[in-house]
């Protein structure tokens, strides 16, 4: 299978790389309800505080502390960065809410939960509340170069500021919480070393159009938040419509066309492992589901009545798209910090360079 090799504008990469470096916040604190005096010699907490939210006074104290730091930093708006939702396995201590509790917080609910979305501080505090409750949605909340709040496991909150925030520190202690100085938040963003920085720019879409017309590509996976995808079946007539409807900063992965021979697709089901089934119903809607061997019968039942389908491995070394990219902002600059998956086009490019 031939795959067009895409070469992107290096100036976009340079600008994006410079923006990704950011400014290391000079004042970072771990804010918790856990008294440092109740830790053993290994730093493990031995006190009586529960690791879940009380949905009450302690939770409110966390939110007031975050607000105090934001006010001391003169921040009244926050950006959602690298949002994610719970996947087919939910590790939270509480069951996820319908729509992950985002329906009344953001315009468009989950559709508004995208990288770079700006929210007022009050909304940011409600997102912190959802994360404290392990409700299934998580993100970094940041004001570039000035402020950040990251919610970790077990009611650990990490707050960073470009200012000392003496008033916020005093207020946090008054609220019965314990701020501890750190060098950096353990939840600071770290790029995927195996990822690829490639913008979904005009050049990418021209190459995608050629791949679709040539019969080498047929479906587009739009990863609009971590652990959630929308699927689009591509034709030369629908590519522009699909492009216009993509979520801001979405990651894109291009796959071969779905097969109308659903029997052959089902025959390819492994005896065990983890796969993602993608199928198009007779009404034209595309669905996907991740299943292991215990769930293969249910997945097979869905695919049996489908118009077309495909199976994709969930193992990284086997799950390699034809093409991949990250959607740039309207000015053409990629400001998303996450990266695209390595694709077959990258493999082809490496082989070409190795033979030169």
């Amino acid at each position: 299978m031939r795959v067009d090799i895409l070469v992107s504008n290096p100036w976009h990469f340079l600008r994006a790389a410079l923006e990704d470096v950011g400014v290391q916040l000079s004042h970072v604190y771990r804010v918790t309800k856990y008294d440092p005096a109740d830790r053993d010699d290994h730093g493990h907490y031995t006190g009586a505080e529960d690791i879940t939210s009380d949905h009450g006074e302690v939770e409110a104290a966390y939110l007031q502390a975050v607000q105090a730091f934001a006010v001391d930093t003169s921040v009244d708006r926050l950006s959602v960065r690298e949002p994610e939702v719970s996947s087919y396995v939910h590790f939270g201590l509480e069951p996820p809410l319908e729509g992950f509790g985002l329906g009344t917080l953001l315009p468009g609910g989950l559709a508004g939960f995208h990288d770079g979305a700006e929210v007022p501080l009050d909304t940011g505090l409600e997102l912190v509340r959802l994360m404290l409750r392990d409700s299934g949605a998580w993100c970094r909340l940041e004001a570039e170069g000035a402020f950040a709040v990251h919610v970790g496991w077990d009611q650990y909150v990490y707050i960073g500021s470009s200012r000392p925030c003496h008033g916020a520190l005093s207020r946090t202690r008054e609220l019965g919480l314990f701020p501890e100085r750190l060098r950096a938040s353990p939840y600071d963003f770290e790029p995927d070393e195996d990822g690829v920085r490639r913008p979904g720019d005009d050049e990418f879409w021209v190459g995608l159009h050629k791949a679709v017309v040539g019969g080498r590509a047929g479906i587009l996976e739009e990863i609009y938040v971590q652990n959630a995808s929308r699927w689009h079946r591509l034709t030369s007539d629908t590519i522009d419509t699909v492009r216009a409807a993509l979520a801001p900063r979405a990651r894109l992965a291009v796959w071969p066309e779905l097969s109308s021979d659903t029997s052959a697709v089902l025959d390819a089901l492994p005896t065990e492992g983890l796969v993602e089934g993608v199928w198009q119903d007779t009404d034209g809607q595309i669905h996907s589901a991740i299943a292991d061997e215990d769930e293969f019968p249910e997945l097979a039942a869905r695919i049996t009545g489908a118009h077309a389908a495909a199976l994709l491995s969930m193992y990284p070394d086997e799950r390699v798209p034809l093409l991949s990219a990250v959607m740039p902002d309207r000015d053409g600059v990629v400001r998303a910090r996450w990266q695209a998956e390595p694709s077959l086009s990258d493999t082809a490019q490496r082989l070409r360079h190795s033979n030169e």
Side-chain angles (χ1 to χ4, degrees), residues 305-321:
H307 176 71
L311 297 176
L312 300 175
S313 173
M314 289 301 296
Y315 299 104
D317 57 341
E318 300 175 0
R319 187 185 177 96
V320 183

Side-chain angles (χ1 to χ4, degrees), residues 86 90 94-97 100-101 129-137:
S86 58
H90 176 59
E94 301 185 30
L97 301 173
F100 305 101
R129 187 194 304 275
L130 288 178
M131 289 186 275
L132 286 170
R133 295 184 180 185
D134 285 321
S135 296

Side-chain angles (χ1 to χ4, degrees), residues 94-279:
E94 301 185 30
L97 301 173
E98 180 179 356
F100 305 101
L102 300 169
T104 58
L105 284 184
L106 302 172
L110 183 58
F113 191 53
H114 62 79
D115 189 75
E118 284 199 359
V119 299
L121 178 58
D122 287 348
T123 300
L125 294 175
E126 290 305 312
L127 289 172
V128 171
R129 187 194 304 275
L130 288 178
M131 289 186 275
L132 286 170
R133 295 184 180 185
D134 285 321
S135 296
W138 187 89
C139 66
R140 297 175 178 85
L141 289 167
E142 301 178 1
E144 186 176 357
F147 182 80
V149 54
H150 306 150
V151 179
W153 292 102
D154 301 340
Q155 308 289 290
Y156 283 82
V157 175
Y158 300 87
I159 304 174
S161 175
S162 59
R163 302 180 183 179
C165 298
H166 298 301
L169 287 169
S170 296
R171 177 60 177 151
T172 298
R173 296 185 181 101
E174 290 172 1
L175 290 165
L177 301 177
F178 300 92
E180 301 171 77
R181 185 74 181 267
L182 301 177
R183 293 184 62 184
S185 165
Y187 290 88
D188 282 344
F189 179 79
E190 294 183 5
D192 183 357
E193 293 182 358
D194 296 328
V196 180
R197 293 197 64 91
R198 181 185 299 106
D201 55 10
D202 290 342
E203 189 173 358
F204 169 84
W205 289 93
V206 167
L208 176 55
H209 188 273
K210 291 179 180 178
V212 170
V213 171
R216 300 183 301 279
I219 53 174
L220 175 72
E221 181 183 10
E222 174 197 1
I223 308 166
Y224 60 101
V225 298
Q226 182 70 23
N227 296 324
S229 298
R230 285 186 285 259
W231 294 84
H232 309 274
R233 201 166 186 182
L234 302 173
T235 68
S236 58
D237 296 328
T238 62
I239 288 179
D240 289 341
T241 302
V242 169
R243 180 182 182 181
L246 294 174
R249 303 186 183 182
R251 287 173 291 172
L252 311 179
V254 179
W255 304 95
E257 176 63 289
L258 298 177
S259 172
S260 59
D261 189 350
T262 55
S263 295
V265 172
L266 291 176
D267 288 342
L269 265 176
T271 56
E272 61 181 16
L274 199 62
V275 301
E276 182 168 18
V278 183
W279 68 94

Side-chain angles (χ1 to χ4, degrees), residues 34-46:
Y34 308 115
D35 191 334
D38 294 328
R39 296 186 184 277
D40 61 22
D41 293 340
H42 302 287
H44 300 145
Y45 179 69
T46 59

Side-chain angles (χ1 to χ4, degrees), residues 291-308:
D292 60 19
E293 56 270 16
D294 294 333
E295 299 160 322
F296 284 172
E298 181 181 352
L299 178 62
R302 295 186 181 187
I303 290 178
T304 298
H307 176 71

